Short mmCIF file of all heavy atoms in Angstrom, two decimals:
data_model
loop_
_atom_site.label_atom_id
_atom_site.label_comp_id
_atom_site.label_asym_id
_atom_site.label_seq_id
_atom_site.Cartn_x
_atom_site.Cartn_y
_atom_site.Cartn_z
N MET A 1 40.79 17.54 104.05
CA MET A 1 42.06 17.19 104.71
C MET A 1 41.98 15.75 105.22
O MET A 1 40.90 15.28 105.60
CB MET A 1 42.35 18.18 105.84
CG MET A 1 42.47 19.62 105.34
SD MET A 1 42.77 20.85 106.63
CE MET A 1 44.50 20.56 106.97
N PHE A 7 40.48 19.96 109.37
CA PHE A 7 39.30 20.31 108.59
C PHE A 7 39.59 21.43 107.60
O PHE A 7 40.28 22.40 107.92
CB PHE A 7 38.17 20.75 109.53
CG PHE A 7 37.75 19.68 110.50
CD1 PHE A 7 38.09 19.77 111.83
CD2 PHE A 7 37.05 18.57 110.06
CE1 PHE A 7 37.74 18.77 112.73
CE2 PHE A 7 36.68 17.57 110.95
CZ PHE A 7 37.01 17.67 112.29
N HIS A 8 39.05 21.26 106.40
CA HIS A 8 39.14 22.28 105.37
C HIS A 8 37.86 23.11 105.42
O HIS A 8 36.76 22.58 105.26
CB HIS A 8 39.29 21.61 103.99
CG HIS A 8 39.41 22.58 102.87
ND1 HIS A 8 39.13 22.24 101.56
CD2 HIS A 8 39.77 23.89 102.84
CE1 HIS A 8 39.33 23.29 100.78
NE2 HIS A 8 39.71 24.30 101.54
N ILE A 9 38.00 24.40 105.64
CA ILE A 9 36.84 25.28 105.81
C ILE A 9 36.77 26.27 104.64
O ILE A 9 37.73 27.00 104.38
CB ILE A 9 36.93 26.08 107.13
CG1 ILE A 9 37.22 25.12 108.31
CG2 ILE A 9 35.66 26.88 107.35
CD1 ILE A 9 36.18 24.06 108.53
N ALA A 10 35.65 26.27 103.94
CA ALA A 10 35.40 27.27 102.91
C ALA A 10 34.96 28.56 103.59
O ALA A 10 34.05 28.55 104.42
CB ALA A 10 34.32 26.78 101.94
N VAL A 11 35.59 29.67 103.24
CA VAL A 11 35.33 30.96 103.87
C VAL A 11 34.76 31.92 102.84
O VAL A 11 35.46 32.33 101.91
CB VAL A 11 36.61 31.54 104.50
CG1 VAL A 11 36.34 32.92 105.10
CG2 VAL A 11 37.17 30.60 105.55
N LEU A 12 33.50 32.26 103.00
CA LEU A 12 32.83 33.22 102.11
C LEU A 12 32.50 34.46 102.95
O LEU A 12 31.49 34.51 103.65
CB LEU A 12 31.54 32.62 101.53
CG LEU A 12 31.64 31.62 100.37
CD1 LEU A 12 32.54 30.43 100.70
CD2 LEU A 12 30.25 31.12 99.97
N MET A 22 34.05 38.25 109.83
CA MET A 22 34.69 36.97 109.52
C MET A 22 36.11 36.92 110.07
O MET A 22 36.53 35.89 110.63
CB MET A 22 34.72 36.74 108.01
CG MET A 22 35.37 35.42 107.58
SD MET A 22 34.46 33.97 108.16
CE MET A 22 33.09 33.99 106.99
N ALA A 23 36.85 38.02 109.94
CA ALA A 23 38.24 38.03 110.40
C ALA A 23 38.37 37.66 111.89
O ALA A 23 39.22 36.83 112.25
CB ALA A 23 38.87 39.40 110.13
N PRO A 24 37.55 38.21 112.80
CA PRO A 24 37.64 37.80 114.20
C PRO A 24 37.33 36.32 114.42
O PRO A 24 37.95 35.66 115.26
CB PRO A 24 36.59 38.68 114.90
CG PRO A 24 36.47 39.88 114.01
CD PRO A 24 36.64 39.36 112.63
N ALA A 25 36.34 35.80 113.67
CA ALA A 25 35.99 34.39 113.82
C ALA A 25 37.16 33.49 113.43
O ALA A 25 37.44 32.48 114.10
CB ALA A 25 34.77 34.06 112.97
N LEU A 26 37.87 33.86 112.38
CA LEU A 26 39.03 33.08 111.96
C LEU A 26 40.16 33.19 112.99
O LEU A 26 40.87 32.22 113.25
CB LEU A 26 39.51 33.53 110.59
CG LEU A 26 38.51 33.35 109.43
CD1 LEU A 26 39.15 33.75 108.10
CD2 LEU A 26 37.99 31.92 109.36
N GLU A 27 40.31 34.38 113.58
CA GLU A 27 41.31 34.54 114.64
C GLU A 27 41.01 33.63 115.82
O GLU A 27 41.91 33.02 116.41
CB GLU A 27 41.36 36.00 115.11
CG GLU A 27 42.05 36.97 114.18
CD GLU A 27 42.26 38.32 114.85
OE1 GLU A 27 43.01 38.39 115.84
OE2 GLU A 27 41.64 39.30 114.38
N VAL A 28 39.74 33.55 116.18
CA VAL A 28 39.32 32.69 117.29
C VAL A 28 39.62 31.23 116.96
O VAL A 28 40.12 30.48 117.81
CB VAL A 28 37.83 32.91 117.60
CG1 VAL A 28 37.29 31.79 118.49
CG2 VAL A 28 37.61 34.26 118.27
N LEU A 29 39.31 30.82 115.73
CA LEU A 29 39.57 29.43 115.35
C LEU A 29 41.07 29.13 115.31
O LEU A 29 41.50 28.03 115.66
CB LEU A 29 38.93 29.14 113.98
CG LEU A 29 37.40 29.06 113.99
CD1 LEU A 29 36.87 28.96 112.56
CD2 LEU A 29 36.92 27.85 114.80
N ARG A 30 41.88 30.11 114.92
CA ARG A 30 43.33 29.91 114.94
C ARG A 30 43.83 29.80 116.39
O ARG A 30 44.77 29.04 116.68
CB ARG A 30 44.04 31.06 114.21
CG ARG A 30 43.81 31.03 112.70
CD ARG A 30 44.69 32.05 111.97
NE ARG A 30 44.38 32.07 110.55
CZ ARG A 30 43.63 32.99 109.94
NH1 ARG A 30 43.09 33.98 110.65
NH2 ARG A 30 43.41 32.93 108.65
N LYS A 31 43.21 30.53 117.29
CA LYS A 31 43.57 30.42 118.72
C LYS A 31 43.20 29.04 119.24
O LYS A 31 43.97 28.42 120.00
CB LYS A 31 42.84 31.52 119.51
CG LYS A 31 43.21 31.59 120.99
CD LYS A 31 44.64 32.08 121.19
CE LYS A 31 44.99 32.26 122.66
NZ LYS A 31 44.45 33.49 123.25
N ILE A 32 42.04 28.54 118.84
CA ILE A 32 41.62 27.19 119.21
C ILE A 32 42.61 26.17 118.67
O ILE A 32 43.01 25.22 119.36
CB ILE A 32 40.20 26.90 118.67
CG1 ILE A 32 39.14 27.67 119.47
CG2 ILE A 32 39.89 25.41 118.66
CD1 ILE A 32 38.97 27.22 120.91
N GLU A 33 43.04 26.38 117.44
CA GLU A 33 44.00 25.47 116.80
C GLU A 33 45.30 25.44 117.59
O GLU A 33 45.90 24.37 117.79
CB GLU A 33 44.25 25.93 115.36
CG GLU A 33 45.14 25.01 114.55
CD GLU A 33 45.33 25.52 113.14
OE1 GLU A 33 45.56 26.74 112.98
OE2 GLU A 33 45.22 24.72 112.20
N ARG A 39 43.09 21.04 113.65
CA ARG A 39 43.80 21.76 112.60
C ARG A 39 42.81 22.24 111.55
O ARG A 39 41.88 21.52 111.19
CB ARG A 39 44.86 20.86 111.94
CG ARG A 39 45.97 20.43 112.88
CD ARG A 39 46.82 21.63 113.32
NE ARG A 39 47.85 21.26 114.30
CZ ARG A 39 47.70 21.41 115.61
NH1 ARG A 39 46.56 21.88 116.10
NH2 ARG A 39 48.67 21.07 116.42
N PHE A 40 43.02 23.48 111.06
CA PHE A 40 42.12 24.06 110.07
C PHE A 40 42.90 24.56 108.86
O PHE A 40 44.01 25.08 108.99
CB PHE A 40 41.35 25.24 110.66
CG PHE A 40 40.55 24.89 111.88
CD1 PHE A 40 40.96 25.31 113.15
CD2 PHE A 40 39.39 24.14 111.79
CE1 PHE A 40 40.23 24.99 114.28
CE2 PHE A 40 38.66 23.81 112.91
CZ PHE A 40 39.07 24.24 114.16
N ARG A 41 42.31 24.39 107.70
CA ARG A 41 42.81 25.04 106.48
C ARG A 41 41.67 25.89 105.93
O ARG A 41 40.61 25.36 105.58
CB ARG A 41 43.25 24.01 105.45
CG ARG A 41 43.68 24.63 104.12
CD ARG A 41 44.53 23.66 103.31
NE ARG A 41 43.80 22.46 102.96
CZ ARG A 41 43.10 22.31 101.82
NH1 ARG A 41 43.03 23.30 100.94
NH2 ARG A 41 42.48 21.17 101.57
N PHE A 42 41.88 27.19 105.87
CA PHE A 42 40.85 28.12 105.42
C PHE A 42 41.11 28.50 103.96
O PHE A 42 42.21 28.92 103.61
CB PHE A 42 40.84 29.38 106.28
CG PHE A 42 40.61 29.11 107.74
CD1 PHE A 42 41.62 29.37 108.68
CD2 PHE A 42 39.42 28.60 108.19
CE1 PHE A 42 41.41 29.13 110.03
CE2 PHE A 42 39.20 28.36 109.53
CZ PHE A 42 40.20 28.62 110.46
N THR A 43 40.09 28.37 103.13
CA THR A 43 40.18 28.80 101.74
C THR A 43 39.09 29.82 101.48
O THR A 43 37.90 29.52 101.62
CB THR A 43 40.01 27.63 100.76
OG1 THR A 43 40.99 26.63 101.04
CG2 THR A 43 40.18 28.10 99.31
N GLU A 44 39.49 31.04 101.15
CA GLU A 44 38.53 32.12 100.93
C GLU A 44 38.03 32.11 99.48
O GLU A 44 38.79 31.76 98.56
CB GLU A 44 39.16 33.46 101.28
CG GLU A 44 39.57 33.56 102.75
CD GLU A 44 40.05 34.94 103.14
OE1 GLU A 44 39.81 35.90 102.36
OE2 GLU A 44 40.64 35.08 104.23
N ALA A 45 36.79 32.50 99.29
CA ALA A 45 36.20 32.52 97.96
C ALA A 45 35.17 33.63 97.86
O ALA A 45 34.54 34.01 98.86
CB ALA A 45 35.54 31.17 97.65
N LEU A 66 34.27 24.67 95.70
CA LEU A 66 34.99 24.72 96.97
C LEU A 66 34.08 24.29 98.12
O LEU A 66 34.46 23.49 98.98
CB LEU A 66 35.51 26.13 97.22
CG LEU A 66 36.03 26.42 98.64
CD1 LEU A 66 37.29 25.60 98.93
CD2 LEU A 66 36.30 27.91 98.83
N ALA A 70 34.73 21.19 100.70
CA ALA A 70 35.16 21.54 102.06
C ALA A 70 34.41 20.72 103.11
O ALA A 70 33.36 20.14 102.85
CB ALA A 70 34.93 23.03 102.30
N ALA A 72 33.27 22.12 105.89
CA ALA A 72 32.21 23.00 106.37
C ALA A 72 32.37 24.36 105.70
O ALA A 72 33.42 24.66 105.14
CB ALA A 72 32.26 23.15 107.89
N ILE A 73 31.31 25.17 105.78
CA ILE A 73 31.30 26.46 105.11
C ILE A 73 31.00 27.56 106.13
O ILE A 73 29.99 27.49 106.84
CB ILE A 73 30.22 26.49 104.00
CG1 ILE A 73 30.46 25.35 103.01
CG2 ILE A 73 30.23 27.84 103.27
CD1 ILE A 73 29.22 24.93 102.24
N LEU A 74 31.89 28.54 106.21
CA LEU A 74 31.66 29.73 107.02
C LEU A 74 31.28 30.88 106.10
O LEU A 74 31.97 31.14 105.11
CB LEU A 74 32.91 30.12 107.81
CG LEU A 74 33.23 29.37 109.10
CD1 LEU A 74 34.54 29.89 109.69
CD2 LEU A 74 32.10 29.52 110.12
N ALA A 302 30.90 30.05 114.41
CA ALA A 302 32.08 29.19 114.30
C ALA A 302 32.04 28.11 115.38
O ALA A 302 32.43 26.96 115.14
CB ALA A 302 33.35 30.02 114.41
N MET A 305 29.75 25.50 114.24
CA MET A 305 30.42 24.67 113.24
C MET A 305 31.24 23.57 113.90
O MET A 305 31.21 22.41 113.46
CB MET A 305 31.32 25.55 112.36
CG MET A 305 32.08 24.77 111.29
SD MET A 305 33.31 25.77 110.42
CE MET A 305 34.60 25.89 111.70
N LEU A 306 31.97 23.92 114.96
CA LEU A 306 32.77 22.92 115.66
C LEU A 306 31.90 21.83 116.26
O LEU A 306 32.25 20.65 116.22
CB LEU A 306 33.62 23.60 116.73
CG LEU A 306 34.72 24.55 116.23
CD1 LEU A 306 35.40 25.25 117.40
CD2 LEU A 306 35.74 23.78 115.40
N LEU A 309 30.80 19.58 113.39
CA LEU A 309 31.90 18.73 112.96
C LEU A 309 32.16 17.62 113.97
O LEU A 309 32.47 16.48 113.59
CB LEU A 309 33.17 19.57 112.77
CG LEU A 309 33.20 20.50 111.55
CD1 LEU A 309 34.38 21.45 111.63
CD2 LEU A 309 33.25 19.69 110.24
#
Side-chain angles (χ1 to χ4, degrees):
M1 300 178 76
F7 300 107
H8 181 201
I9 310 300
V11 177
L12 282 55
M22 180 64 76
L26 298 184
E27 285 190 65
V28 165
L29 289 172
R30 290 189 184 101
K31 184 69 175 283
I32 287 292
E33 185 179 44
R39 296 294 176 263
F40 302 107
R41 175 161 63 91
F42 302 114
T43 303
E44 298 187 14
L66 168 66
I73 304 157
L74 280 179
M305 179 189 74
L306 293 175
L309 288 169

